[in-house]
Amino acid sequence: MKILLCIVLLLVVLTLFAVWPGKRRDALRAPFLGRNCAHRGFFGKEQRPPENSLPAFRAAAEAGYGVELDIQLSRDGQVVVFHDDTLDRVCGVHGRVDEFTFEELRGMRLCGTQETIPLLTEVFEVMGGRTPMIIELKTGRRNDELCEKGLALMRAYNGPYCIESFDPRIVRWFRKNAKDVLRGQLSDCLLYTSPSPRD
């Protein structure tokens, strides 16, 4: 009976440990509270400016919105900002983002405009630390490389940011290697709408 009681008690303790919230991180959360975020930038139904473009991110910052964006690696290891895993919907090119070099990606156009796929560093320059950024790391074949390179770029950015991912391995990587970075585990695809007076 004592063994059974000890096992139950141990299971209760382990369960509480697993779900107990971490240290309060109010200072890290503060820039995001009460703030609307433009998913993939500030764009309208007509994709003018197109989603994930520098003008869309600039428009979000100028309108006072935070932004949510997605990062992944090009074939040659550049950290690019692009939402979909494949290029079909936005660029009209068949293939995965990570199958192309950054030079090849730069030659593609977003939604039939002259805008191109930006680097994360270019988005940081446009944002200029004016507004918070939610950075989603996409699952890929080189998760650790994306985490390492993405974190190095984020550390050089002079503005508030947090990370999120659908991949628990990426969130765990940040928990282990960058405990000071606010992070979130995505568990379901949410419907985001980009606030836009252009609609």
Side-chain angles (χ1 to χ4, degrees):
M1 187 68 172
K2 284 184 179 182
I3 293 174
L4 182 60
L5 185 59
C6 287
I7 291 172
V8 170
L9 185 58
L10 180 63
L11 289 174
V12 168
V13 169
L14 289 174
T15 301
L16 286 174
F17 178 77
V19 299
W20 200 264
K23 294 179 186 174
R24 294 193 54 87
R25 299 166 65 137
D26 294 341
L28 292 174
R29 291 184 183 111
F32 299 91
L33 297 176
R35 168 99 55 172
N36 290 321
C37 287
H39 187 239
R40 296 178 238 161
F42 193 60
F43 62 96
K45 283 190 233 179
E46 302 301 318
Q47 292 281 357
R48 299 295 185 267
E51 64 184 77
N52 293 305
S53 67
L54 294 177
F57 293 122
R58 183 178 297 110
E62 289 172 355
Y65 292 106
V67 298
E68 189 276 352
L69 55 81
D70 306 81
I71 62 172
Q72 51 190 308
L73 292 174
S74 63
R75 190 176 77 207
D76 54 343
Q78 297 294 312
V79 180
V80 298
V81 175
F82 198 78
H83 178 268
D84 300 358
D85 294 327
T86 64
L87 297 153
D88 303 69
R89 179 181 68 87
V90 176
C91 296
V93 174
H94 183 67
R96 292 178 50 89
V97 172
D98 61 7
E99 295 172 339
F100 295 88
T101 65
F102 179 63
E103 184 178 344
E104 291 168 330
L105 293 171
R106 187 64 108 191
M108 300 174 193
R109 299 293 177 250
L110 299 175
C111 302
T113 69
Q114 291 304 305
E115 299 302 327
T116 60
I117 297 172
L119 292 167
L120 180 58
T121 53
E122 294 173 320
V123 176
F124 283 158
E125 287 175 22
V126 164
M127 300 306 289
R130 292 179 281 178
T131 187
M133 300 178 69
I134 302 170
I135 301 171
E136 179 183 337
L137 288 85
K138 303 297 270 190
T139 299
R141 300 171 182 145
R142 294 149 40 206
N143 284 351
D144 285 354
E145 182 183 353
L146 177 62
C147 291
E148 290 166 9
K149 288 182 173 180
L151 178 61
L153 297 175
M154 291 176 220
R155 293 275 194 225
Y157 177 61
N158 188 26
Y161 63 87
C162 67
I163 68 99
E164 63 183 9
S165 182
F166 283 99
D167 192 327
R169 295 169 299 179
I170 289 174
V171 177
R172 186 172 58 243
W173 187 96
F174 273 84
R175 181 178 184 189
K176 180 180 176 186
N177 297 289
K179 292 183 187 230
D180 61 309
V181 174
L182 189 63
R183 60 194 177 276
Q185 175 67 60
L186 296 171
S187 61
D188 194 11
C189 185
L190 301 175
L191 176 63
Y192 287 96
T193 57
S194 178
S196 176
R198 299 178 184 94
D199 289 349

